[in-house]
Amino acid sequence: MDLKLLIIVNPVASKIKRYMKSRGKIIAEFKKKYKVVDEVFTKYRFHAKKLISQYKSKYDLIVLAGGDGLINESLPALVKKNIKISFLPTGGANVLSKQVKFPHKLEKIAARICSGKIHNVNIGKANNDYFILMFE
């Protein structure tokens, strides 16, 4: 079976240049495990939620390239669904990345994602909104 990966990129994340600079190396790392590596850019706030809903059944893994805000805004499309996700930290604070002790280089994070190492994270809910780290 050919594995498929989708990268959802927030093009206005604080440190998106970091992703764009390493993009070729990141995709090459993912292609060591995934036959198909596609990339789509968000166009507005909460667009990732719509993209996840649209593509979740077509990919084995969805990787969010953005900051903690992109992760939090994507949660409603992910909670109670059988969707494997990970992320490439390109935001300002990247608190979740620090919590799970991701390496600094994005291509090393891609290699770690491909290794299959799993981190379980607690998800909270307040006022019908889900959150991992912070609540807006």
Side-chain angles (χ1 to χ4, degrees):
M1 182 170 110
D2 294 332
L3 295 174
K4 297 178 183 179
L5 179 142
L6 175 65
I7 306 169
I8 297 177
V9 182
N10 175 2
V12 296
S14 299
K15 297 179 182 168
I16 193 61
K17 287 181 184 176
R18 188 173 166 231
Y19 171 80
M20 297 308 288
K21 184 178 178 182
S22 301
R23 185 174 172 222
K25 291 178 184 177
I26 293 165
I27 291 172
E29 194 63 49
F30 282 138
K31 284 191 173 187
K32 290 178 183 177
K33 179 174 182 178
Y34 295 88
K35 180 165 179 142
V36 175
V37 177
D38 292 329
E39 180 183 62
V40 63
F41 289 79
T42 60
K43 296 182 178 158
Y44 50 86
R45 191 168 184 207
F46 296 108
H47 190 207
K49 179 180 160 184
K50 183 177 180 180
L51 292 169
I52 291 166
S53 295
Q54 179 180 347
Y55 292 116
K56 65 186 173 193
S57 64
K58 297 178 176 115
Y59 292 89
D60 300 289
L61 177 67
I62 295 176
V63 175
L64 302 172
D68 298 319
L70 179 66
I71 295 165
N72 276 332
E73 75 178 46
S74 301
L75 286 177
L78 300 167
V79 173
K80 297 182 182 176
K81 311 281 190 309
N82 189 21
I83 303 170
K84 293 179 183 175
I85 68 150
S86 193
F87 64 98
L88 295 168
T90 61
N94 300 312
V95 176
L96 184 59
S97 175
K98 292 171 186 162
Q99 276 192 328
V100 298
K101 297 179 174 56
F102 267 1
H104 180 71
K105 292 190 175 207
L106 295 177
E107 56 270 24
K108 287 188 178 184
I109 295 172
R112 186 166 166 180
I113 291 168
C114 289
S115 78
K117 185 172 183 176
I118 295 173
H119 291 280
N120 292 315
V121 295
N122 293 320
I123 297 174
K125 185 177 182 181
N127 300 326
N128 292 320
D129 290 321
Y130 293 99
F131 63 94
I132 290 182
L133 300 166
M134 60 202 110
F135 182 72
E136 287 186 40

